[in-house]
């Protein structure tokens, strides 16, 4: 109901207010800053204009001597893109995989410098269980990784690491392990 009253007040005497607004004088635009229309011609201006619009015979003769011949390559002779050929050389076969093709069909190789999820978990777990055998250098060599990335992965990712934080008060409930 309030919207109906507001609309009535807003539309009250609308036509006369519109005529009043249209009959007012329009505001004038601000004056523009005076600026010279054309710079004063001098001896330098005429030399520049002449060099721009005049013919340069040595450059014109060089332009006439250029001949470009372009042909499309035959479809059978089309070379592979350089990125695709380079990528084929940079791929390596998977070291480990899970049975049942859990991570997608046809995953038989990965790019160099990358790990599949299964390989990453196995590498992190083997380093955690046998750090003397599986050093960062050996993991770098085994999986064709960047040494800096390998050290960062081993430092910041810890798989299967469960930490139980003891309660701060005596009254807090604790989860009791099964016997």
């Amino acid at each position: 109901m309030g919207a109906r009253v507001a609309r009535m007040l807003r539309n009250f005497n609308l036509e006369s207010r519109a005529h009043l607004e249209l009959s007012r004088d329009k505001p004038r635009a601000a004056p523009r800053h005076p600026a010279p229309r054309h710079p004063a011609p001098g001896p330098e201006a005429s030399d520049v204009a002449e060099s721009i619009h005049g013919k340069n015979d040595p450059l014109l003769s060089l332009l006439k001597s250029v001949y470009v011949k372009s042909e499309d390559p035959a479809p059978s002779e089309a070379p592979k893109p350089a990125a695709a050929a380079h990528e084929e050389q940079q791929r390596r076969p998977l070291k480990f995989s899970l049975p049942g093709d859990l991570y997608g069909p046809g995953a038989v190789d990965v790019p160099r410098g990358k790990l599949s999820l299964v390989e990453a978990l196995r590498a992190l777990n083997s380093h955690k269980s046998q750090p003397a055998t599986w050093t960062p250098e050996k993991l770098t060599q085994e999986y064709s990784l960047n040494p800096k990335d390998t050290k960062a992965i081993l430092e910041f990712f810890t798989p299967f690491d469960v930490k139980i934080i003891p309660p701060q008060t005596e009254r807090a409930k604790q989860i009791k392990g099964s016997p």
Side-chain angles (χ1 to χ4, degrees):
M1 187 166 143
R4 189 177 285 176
V5 172
R7 189 178 321 118
M8 287 175 51
L9 290 175
R10 189 174 55 233
N11 293 338
F12 176 74
N13 204 9
L14 183 65
E15 190 172 335
S16 64
R17 286 188 290 150
H19 284 295
L20 182 69
E21 189 65 33
L22 290 174
S23 65
R24 283 191 189 159
D25 291 335
K26 305 294 181 260
R28 290 185 2 189
R32 296 204 175 265
H33 181 73
R37 296 201 181 237
H38 299 287
E44 296 172 0
S46 64
D47 292 340
V48 171
E50 185 178 314
S51 66
I52 290 174
H53 296 295
K55 285 186 177 180
N56 190 340
D57 289 330
L59 291 178
L60 187 61
S61 64
L62 288 174
L63 185 61
K64 287 181 180 178
S65 67
V66 173
Y67 177 73
V68 177
K69 183 178 180 183
S70 175
E71 293 179 2
D72 288 336
S76 62
E77 298 174 7
K80 288 184 179 179
H86 182 49
E87 188 175 318
E88 284 180 7
Q89 297 171 355
Q90 295 295 328
R91 297 189 76 80
R92 63 174 181 79
L94 281 175
K95 299 284 182 189
F96 305 102
S97 63
L98 291 177
D101 225 9
L102 294 175
Y103 297 105
V108 294
D109 64 348
V110 293
R112 289 196 182 275
K114 307 265 186 198
L115 288 174
S116 71
L117 183 61
V118 176
E119 287 177 327
L121 290 175
R122 183 158 304 195
L124 289 170
N125 195 23
S126 62
H127 175 72
K128 184 179 176 183
S129 62
Q130 300 171 347
T133 306
W134 290 95
T135 62
E137 292 79 22
K138 184 173 181 184
L139 290 173
T140 300
Q141 183 181 12
E142 184 75 19
Y143 293 103
S144 304
L145 297 172
N146 187 354
K148 185 174 96 174
D149 293 340
T150 306
K151 288 180 183 175
I153 288 171
L154 294 176
E155 180 180 350
F156 295 113
F157 294 99
T158 54
F160 316 119
D161 195 15
V162 178
K163 294 183 181 180
I164 299 175
I165 301 170
Q168 295 178 352
T169 63
E170 294 294 325
R171 295 184 306 175
K173 293 182 181 177
Q174 283 189 345
I175 299 174
K176 296 189 180 195
S178 61

